[in-house]
Amino acid sequence: MTTTASPTSSTSPLSEFSLIDRFFARATHQGEHVTLGIGDDCALLRPPAGEQLAISTDMLVEGRHFFPDADPRALGHKTLAVNLSDLAAMGARPIGFTLALALPDSDPAWLAPFAEGLAALADRYACPLVGGDTTRGPRNLCVTVFGSVPGAHALRRDAARPGDDVWVSGTLGDARLALGAMRGEWSLQEDELALARRAMDWPEPQIALGLALRGVARAALDVSDGLLGDLGHILERSGASASVNVDALPRSPLLAAQPLAIQRHCTLAGGDDYQLCFCADPAERQRITAIGDELGIRVTRIGTIALPDARQTMLQLHDNTGAAVAADFKSFDHFQ
């Protein structure tokens, strides 16, 4: 893990390498598919025989993706979780990850809980830290994660077919509910906000579900920027359209108790859910339900993939009565 020295706010300044040894050693356990980890110019990874590498990069920028006063332990968890979620969406098993940090200082009071949150999740998914970089600057957290998947079973975005069911895992919208309350867009009681913030701050990557959907689902992605925008990526790549029942979208009891307009905004355009949206042949319904039961994960059928129709929008929304619902919800855009 290469570093660039940075000053520290502590009374005993940390050197560039002592920072790594002190805070990130726990996350560097050698995985079975890591031939060479931290300590050289490059890490060497060996995917299982017959499988391909799946690689994804995400960054979290202070003021854009998290608040300056965010709990560093939760932030360490989330920094890795959002990347593992991409592997889950591809049906890939984690192998390792790199971490690049820009930090305003090397403050141990911040670094210790951040590293603990990161390492705890890395341990849980046997995903070791294999390299990276550190430098001084505005707080920016960037992970590149590596996984492996049999090529024939990768859950690609371009594989949805007309007639497929559209499914989502878990519940949607609680993270956006928390964000809205923190921004003053709507009000929540203190205990309600704490519950919603749990979803926003501690997302759980759906690795087990992604692996179980190999050979069952056709296409998948993780819901990170809002269901409408993310499902739209599948439709665009697959050359298809879809119909979605907005009343079928799974939501927590907390969100279900909010006004309908807030429910729809949060479930359709909220983002930060990190649940899986996937498409599968209707013949797989019983199998998918059984997978959900076995894993203890809620899976909900929300719509249908259709042929593209030039006379209609790519995504049509309706309620339980079949009445059309205006698709005037906007998903998260990193440049707006």
Side-chain angles (χ1 to χ4, degrees):
M1 186 169 183
T2 315
T3 63
T4 301
S6 59
T8 178
S9 61
S10 70
T11 56
S12 301
L14 296 171
S15 73
E16 48 187 307
F17 294 107
S18 64
L19 183 154
I20 298 165
D21 292 338
R22 178 173 175 181
F23 296 110
F24 295 101
R26 175 183 165 190
T28 62
H29 60 277
Q30 199 84 340
E32 62 175 310
H33 302 296
V34 179
T35 303
L36 182 65
I38 285 178
D40 222 303
D41 291 313
C42 293
L44 299 178
L45 304 178
R46 182 184 61 249
E51 298 195 10
Q52 298 177 351
L53 277 177
I55 305 169
S56 180
T57 298
D58 270 304
M59 68 173 68
L60 300 181
V61 178
E62 185 174 276
R64 185 59 175 165
H65 301 102
F66 60 92
F67 292 102
D69 62 350
D71 171 16
R73 183 174 282 99
L75 194 55
H77 169 97
K78 188 170 184 176
T79 298
L80 181 57
V82 301
N83 286 269
L84 291 176
S85 183
D86 286 332
L87 292 187
M90 187 62 70
R93 188 181 305 277
I95 288 179
F97 72 100
T98 62
L99 172 67
L101 296 175
L103 302 171
D105 54 56
S106 55
D107 181 10
W110 188 92
L111 277 164
F114 174 83
E116 289 169 4
L118 183 90
L121 193 64
D123 286 348
R124 188 138 56 88
Y125 287 104
C127 186
L129 177 63
V130 298
D133 193 19
T134 63
T135 189
R136 183 186 182 189
R139 205 178 307 274
N140 186 338
L141 319 170
C142 184
V143 163
T144 296
V145 71
F146 304 88
S148 67
V149 61
H153 288 161
L155 305 177
R156 298 165 51 128
R157 295 182 180 185
D158 62 359
R161 299 291 178 263
D164 280 357
D165 292 326
V166 181
W167 298 76
V168 292
S169 67
T171 60
L172 304 177
D174 278 4
R176 182 62 178 88
L177 183 64
L179 181 62
M182 296 169 72
R183 287 176 170 175
E185 297 173 12
W186 43 71
S187 297
L188 293 177
Q189 298 296 321
E190 185 176 344
D191 60 333
E192 293 175 330
L193 178 57
L195 187 60
R197 282 206 64 169
R198 177 77 189 180
M200 182 175 74
D201 294 340
W202 296 88
E204 187 61 34
Q206 299 299 315
I207 294 291
L209 179 59
L211 294 175
L213 290 175
R214 288 178 175 181
V216 178
R218 281 202 249 259
L221 47 61
D222 68 328
V223 181
S224 56
D225 296 331
L227 178 66
L228 286 188
D230 289 328
L231 177 55
H233 297 318
I234 287 180
L235 301 181
E236 183 178 0
R237 293 292 303 276
S238 296
S241 64
S243 173
V244 168
N245 179 357
V246 300
D247 288 334
L249 298 179
R251 62 208 78 184
S252 69
L254 173 61
L255 183 56
Q258 307 305 313
L260 184 60
I262 294 178
Q263 292 183 47
R264 288 184 174 175
H265 182 89
C266 292
T267 54
L268 288 167
D272 246 11
D273 294 306
Y274 300 103
Q275 294 294 336
L276 298 189
C277 174
F278 56 96
C279 305
D281 191 297
E284 300 289 359
R285 288 177 184 175
Q286 185 173 354
R287 192 172 174 189
I288 290 169
T289 300
I291 287 171
D293 290 343
E294 182 178 350
L295 297 177
I297 296 172
R298 182 175 178 177
V299 287
T300 305
R301 187 161 47 91
I302 63 167
T304 305
I305 298 293
L307 289 168
D309 188 338
R311 299 168 298 175
Q312 296 180 319
T313 58
M314 187 166 56
L315 181 59
Q316 295 88 49
L317 305 179
H318 63 87
D319 63 17
N320 274 337
T321 71
V325 173
D328 54 357
F329 303 92
K330 190 173 185 180
S331 293
F332 179 77
D333 187 312
H334 293 267
F335 286 91
Q336 293 183 4

